[in-house]
Amino acid sequence: MTTATGLLRDIFGFDAFRPGQEEIVQAVAAGENVLAIMPTGGGKSLCFQLPALMRDGVTVVISPLIALMRDQVRALRQAGVEAGALTSGNTDEETDAVWQALDEGRLKLLYIAPERLAAGSAMGMLRRIGVSLIAVDEAHCVSQWGHDFRPDYLRIGELRRALGVPLAAFTATADAETQEEIVTRLFDGQPPRAFLRGFDRPNIHLAFAAKNGPRQQILSFAAARKGQSGIVYCGTRAKTETLAQALSDAGHSACAYHGGMQAEDRRQVETRFAHEDGLIVVATVAFGMGVDKPDIRWVAHADLPKSIEGYYQEIGRAGRDGGPAETLTLFGPDDIRLRRSQIDEGLAPPERRMADHARLNALLGLAEALGCRRQTLLGYFGETATPCGNCDLCDKAPETFDGTQAVRKALSAILRTEEWFGAGHLIDILTGTTTDKIRERGHDRLPTFGVGRDFNRAQWQAIFRQMMGHDLIRPNPERHGALTMTDAALPILRDQQAITLRSDSLAKPDRRPAVRELVSDEDAPLLSALKAKRRALAEAASLPAYMIFNDRTLIEMAEQRPANLDQMARINGVGAKKLDSYGRAFLEIITGASEAMHPTRQKLAGRAAGTVFDKLIAVQQELQRGADGTEKPMSCTHSTLRHMAERRPATLSDLGRVPGMGQQKLDRFGPAFLDVLRAED
C-alpha cells in the first residue's frame, strides 16, 4: 500500500496534513467504518480521495449535487487521478468515457448521486466493477431531521450490506440526534469509528442584526466589501431575483440562483462564480453544497436560516482558504413566523415538528445571544470555547436588563391558560387588552390580566422571542402552535433562577410598513395545520392543492373555526361535494375530533333545512313508542324527514303525501311534525 504522506505530496501537492486529517485517512484506508464530522473547509474530500488511491478496487462516492461531483472529478483529473461521475447531467461522450475506464480497470473513484441507487441495475453494476469502499459525502442528508433530507440516502445502508465493504461517512454539521440517525441508517446501529474534528472556523467573523430596512442593510454590507466574492442567501426565489437586481443597480456584479431556474442557467452561474472574481450570487439554499470556491470573502443572510445546522453550513462557505471572512445574518418577526409555518405545514409527525421547533429556538438563541456568538454556536455542537474576539458581540457587548419578572409573568400567563394559546392572546392578557376571545374565556378575570402593562405589545413580542431563544417555551404542533413550557422554564417560574434579556431587542425600530399577514398570529398555526392536511390530501390524490380548497377557504376556516359540519358547510368554498369528501378531515384538524353525521343529514349541512331535520328527529325519538311510551316502535326514514325539512308541508293532508308517510305514521307523528314545520316558517 502506497503511503499516505507520499500520495499527499506527489498527487495533491501538500507537504503536511491539516489537523485531524491523517488519522481519518489511516482509518478509512485500513477498511474501518468511519463517521467523520469536520468543519466546512477542513479537507473532508481528501479523507476519502486519498484512501481510494491507497486501496485496490473502486471507491464509490455518493454525493448529493452534480455540481459538487463535477468539481471534484475535474480537480482529481487535473491531479492525474482517474475519476468519473455518472450523473443525469453527463453528455453521452462523458458517460462512455466513464464506462470505458471502468471496463479497463483504470477508474479509482466513481461519483454517483443517491438517486441512482433506486435503479434496479445499480446493484449489479456496482458488484461487477469491484467496489472496495463506499464514501458518503454530506452524510447529514441521510437524516430525516436534517434540513436537506434525501430519501434515496436511505438505500446506502442496504448497499453497504449487499457489497460487504467498509463505509466512510462525512459531514460538516450534525447535532447529536442527526449523528444517531446516521449511525442507525448507514451502519445498522453499530457505532463506526467516529471523528469529531471541531466546528470552529476562527477566521469567520459572526454577526447578526435585527431587520431595519433589510435591502439597504444588505446593500450597505456589500458596498463595504465591493470587489470581493460573496453569497447572499434569501428565503424565497423571488427575493433572490429582486435583491440581485438591486445589487446590480448599485454597481456590483451580481446574479440570482434558485431551484426554479433551468439547469443550464444554474450551471452558468456556478461556472461564473467559480471563475470570476468579485461576483455576488444571491441564492436560496439550492446554491449550497456544490460551492467549492476557496476565496469567498463574505456570506450574508437576508432572511433567517432554518436552523443552526443550516446556518453553519452556509456561512462555512466563506473563507475556506483560511483568510479572513465576514458574515451578517438579518432576522425579524416575519422570518420567525415563516420558519414556524414551514415546520407546521410539513407532513412530519408531531414529535419531529416539535424537535424542529427546538432547533429553530436554538438559532433564535444564537441571534439573541448575550455574549460571544462563537461560544453559543460551538456550545450547540457540544464544544466549549473562550470568547473569540471575532464576532459582533465580542466587538461590542449588547445592552441587557434583568428579565426575570417579565419572563415569570409570561410563564404564569401560559400556565394559567393551560398552555392552549399563542403569543398574541397571551400578550393581550398581559397588557390587559379586552378582546372578544378574552371575554369569552373569562381570561380578563385571571390574576395575570394586565400585569404586564409596563411593556408595550412590540416589547412583549421581543420578550417572547427571547424566551424561545432560551428554549423556555416551544410551539406545540398538536395544539396549533400554542406555547408550552419546557423544563428549563420551571426554575424561573418558581423564583429559583434569574434570567437576563437583551434590551436592544426591545427597542429596535423598524421603519418598514408592517407586512399584512394572511391571518392573525393566533390563527396562523391552525392555518399551517390546515395547509399541511390539504397538502397530504392533494399528494395522495395527485391533485394541485388549490383543487382541494383554496387559500381563502382555509383562511376562513382558521378564523371561523367551525365546530361541526353544519358550520363547516357555511365556509365559502365548501360545497356539498367537498364537504362530503374533505369536511370531516379538516374538521378533525380544527376540533381535534371528527363528527359522525348521517349521509342524508350531511346533504342538509349548513342549510336551514338541517336545523329542521334535527328537530324532526328529536320529535320522532320522543314519540317512537307513542305518547305514553307503550306502543309498537315506529319511525320514518331519514329520506322522508329530509323531504319534510326541505318541502315544509303545511297541513296533515300535505304531510300525508310525503313519500314514506303512511296513515299510521301520520297519526302518531303528524301533529308534532307540523308544529316543528310551522315554528320554522
Side-chain angles (χ1 to χ4, degrees):
M1 182 185 292
T2 308
T3 65
T5 51
L7 287 170
L8 180 70
R9 181 182 61 254
D10 297 340
I11 302 297
F12 296 97
F14 298 125
D15 291 329
F17 286 102
R18 295 183 188 180
Q21 279 184 321
E22 186 170 12
E23 55 183 328
I24 297 174
V25 167
Q26 296 293 355
V28 175
E32 296 184 60
N33 288 326
V34 166
L35 170 59
I37 302 172
M38 306 169 68
T40 300
K44 294 188 297 296
S45 58
L46 187 72
C47 292
F48 57 80
Q49 291 171 350
L50 198 54
L53 302 180
M54 298 168 68
R55 296 174 60 86
D56 294 332
V58 177
T59 292
V60 169
V61 182
I62 299 173
S63 183
L65 288 180
I66 292 175
L68 183 62
M69 291 189 266
R70 284 181 174 277
D71 283 347
Q72 293 198 10
V73 167
R74 188 183 301 117
L76 285 166
R77 286 177 176 170
Q78 288 178 346
V81 176
E82 289 280 0
L86 292 175
T87 78
S88 59
N90 279 19
T91 64
D92 290 342
E93 292 77 11
E94 288 172 332
T95 299
D96 290 343
V98 172
W99 284 116
Q100 183 176 348
L102 284 169
D103 290 340
E104 295 174 359
R106 293 185 286 107
L107 204 76
K108 293 301 294 179
L109 290 107
L110 174 65
Y111 285 76
I112 62 173
E115 286 74 16
R116 183 168 288 269
L117 299 179
S121 59
M123 192 68 73
M125 178 271 287
L126 293 173
R127 281 197 175 104
R128 181 174 61 81
I129 65 174
V131 175
S132 64
L133 172 68
I134 300 170
V136 182
D137 205 3
E138 307 293 352
H140 64 275
C141 294
V142 78
S143 172
Q144 294 189 57
W145 303 91
H147 63 288
D148 292 314
F149 175 55
R150 299 275 288 271
D152 287 291
Y153 266 81
L154 304 184
R155 301 177 187 271
I156 299 173
E158 177 186 343
L159 175 67
R160 181 186 65 81
R161 291 190 296 273
L163 296 180
V165 299
L167 185 147
F170 299 85
T171 185
T173 52
D175 60 13
E177 200 163 27
T178 302
Q179 291 178 44
E180 183 178 340
E181 191 167 3
I182 290 172
V183 171
T184 299
R185 295 187 181 279
L186 295 187
F187 300 99
D188 294 330
Q190 299 299 314
R193 187 171 177 189
F195 296 89
L196 183 62
R197 285 296 167 254
F199 292 93
D200 194 11
R201 293 283 303 284
N203 60 311
I204 299 178
H205 185 274
L206 310 178
F208 281 71
K211 286 187 175 180
N212 185 21
R215 179 179 296 192
Q216 188 55 51
Q217 286 174 287
I218 294 294
L219 289 174
S220 298
F221 189 75
R225 294 150 187 84
K226 193 161 187 176
Q228 297 180 358
S229 297
I231 304 174
V232 181
Y233 284 108
C234 299
T236 65
R237 295 175 179 180
K239 194 167 185 178
T240 65
E241 295 174 356
T242 57
L243 193 48
Q245 186 61 53
L247 285 161
S248 296
D249 293 343
H252 298 277
S253 177
C255 56
Y257 184 105
H258 57 73
M261 295 167 57
Q262 294 295 320
E264 181 56 33
D265 293 335
R266 293 200 305 271
R267 185 179 296 185
Q268 287 179 7
V269 173
E270 292 162 358
T271 301
R272 284 187 62 192
F273 194 60
H275 294 94
E276 289 185 27
D277 289 331
L279 181 66
I280 300 171
V281 174
V282 186
T284 60
V285 291
F287 191 70
M289 290 175 285
V291 178
D292 194 22
K293 183 179 172 70
D295 58 346
I296 299 170
R297 296 272 64 89
W298 58 271
V299 170
H301 284 88
D303 300 298
L304 190 71
K306 292 181 179 179
S307 64
I308 283 189
E309 289 90 347
Y311 167 78
Y312 181 78
Q313 284 266 356
E314 288 146 25
I315 66 166
R317 281 144 203 158
R320 293 178 63 154
D321 57 1
E326 296 177 274
T327 67
L328 173 66
T329 301
L330 302 182
F331 67 100
D334 295 340
D335 295 325
I336 300 165
R337 190 180 296 110
L338 172 66
R339 296 307 187 196
R340 296 285 187 209
S341 68
Q342 288 174 335
I343 294 169
D344 291 333
E345 289 173 27
L347 301 181
E351 64 272 13
R352 248 187 66 198
R353 282 181 278 146
M354 184 69 94
D356 285 338
H357 280 302
R359 284 178 165 84
L360 182 56
N361 274 2
L363 182 59
L364 292 178
L366 180 62
E368 300 275 12
L370 300 174
C372 173
R373 292 200 194 275
R374 189 165 268 99
Q375 284 183 309
T376 303
L377 177 62
L378 296 179
Y380 177 81
F381 292 110
E383 294 188 16
T384 57
T386 56
C388 69
N390 197 29
C391 73
D392 56 340
L393 297 182
C394 284
D395 297 340
K396 181 182 179 182
E399 297 177 6
T400 62
F401 72 103
D402 184 350
T404 308
Q405 290 301 322
V407 170
R408 191 173 298 136
K409 290 174 183 178
L411 294 173
S412 177
I414 292 171
L415 190 64
R416 291 181 184 276
T417 53
E418 299 180 332
E419 300 181 304
W420 272 105
F421 297 91
H425 186 76
L426 296 167
I427 292 171
D428 285 338
I429 293 172
L430 291 164
T431 57
T433 304
T434 304
T435 65
D436 290 342
K437 195 172 180 180
I438 292 284
R439 283 192 296 267
E440 287 168 5
R441 290 163 174 77
H443 290 167
D444 51 347
R445 298 191 296 274
L446 292 174
T448 46
F449 186 75
V451 299
R453 290 192 177 100
D454 44 338
F455 294 109
N456 61 35
R457 190 171 196 85
Q459 290 171 326
W460 271 116
Q461 288 170 339
I463 290 170
F464 273 95
R465 188 170 66 242
Q466 292 191 62
M467 289 170 66
M468 291 179 189
H470 285 277
D471 202 29
L472 305 179
I473 53 177
R474 297 178 189 174
N476 186 335
E478 294 185 297
R479 296 187 176 187
H480 307 315
L483 295 176
T484 54
M485 291 188 294
T486 67
D487 290 342
L490 297 178
I492 299 172
L493 184 66
R494 295 167 180 161
D495 201 17
Q496 297 170 344
Q497 183 176 311
I499 185 169
T500 301
L501 299 180
R502 289 180 60 148
S503 54
D504 56 344
S505 294
L506 275 62
K508 280 285 185 185
D510 191 343
R511 297 191 299 268
R512 294 179 305 147
V515 175
R516 188 177 184 277
E517 297 302 325
L518 294 175
V519 294
S520 68
D521 286 348
E522 287 298 301
D523 296 328
L526 176 55
L527 178 61
S528 293
L530 293 171
K531 285 184 175 180
K533 172 57 70 174
R534 178 180 67 177
R535 175 182 163 197
L537 291 171
E539 289 183 356
S542 298
L543 291 171
Y546 71 85
M547 293 186 71
I548 306 294
F549 288 122
N550 62 32
D551 279 358
R552 184 174 298 178
T553 298
L554 295 189
I555 288 168
E556 189 171 338
M557 285 185 197
E559 292 177 337
Q560 299 298 325
R561 303 196 178 216
N564 51 51
L565 289 175
D566 271 330
Q567 294 177 18
M568 178 70 81
R570 298 188 186 104
I571 299 291
N572 287 312
V574 183
K577 173 64 175 173
K578 289 192 175 182
L579 183 71
D580 183 52
S581 300
Y582 310 121
R584 286 185 176 86
F586 283 87
L587 190 65
E588 188 170 356
I589 297 297
I590 297 167
T591 66
S594 59
E595 179 188 12
M597 181 179 280
H598 192 280
T600 302
R601 170 63 178 85
Q602 186 171 306
K603 293 176 181 177
L604 302 176
R607 297 162 51 191
T611 303
V612 177
F613 182 96
D614 293 340
K615 292 180 178 179
L616 293 172
I617 285 282
V619 166
Q620 177 175 265
Q621 288 175 340
E622 290 178 10
L623 298 176
Q624 191 172 22
R625 288 183 173 274
D628 58 3
T630 61
E631 298 181 46
K632 180 181 177 181
M634 187 182 300
S635 62
C636 302
T637 66
H638 281 75
S639 178
T640 296
L641 296 178
R642 176 190 174 191
H643 189 103
M644 291 181 204
E646 290 182 319
R647 302 295 176 83
R648 310 283 181 93
T651 66
L652 283 174
S653 177
D654 294 339
L655 197 60
R657 287 192 286 273
V658 172
M661 284 295 290
Q663 188 61 47
Q664 287 182 317
K665 293 179 182 178
L666 194 64
D667 291 342
R668 180 173 296 185
F669 301 119
F673 281 170
L674 285 177
D675 287 343
V676 170
L677 296 169
R678 289 167 182 161
E680 295 299 321
D681 285 337

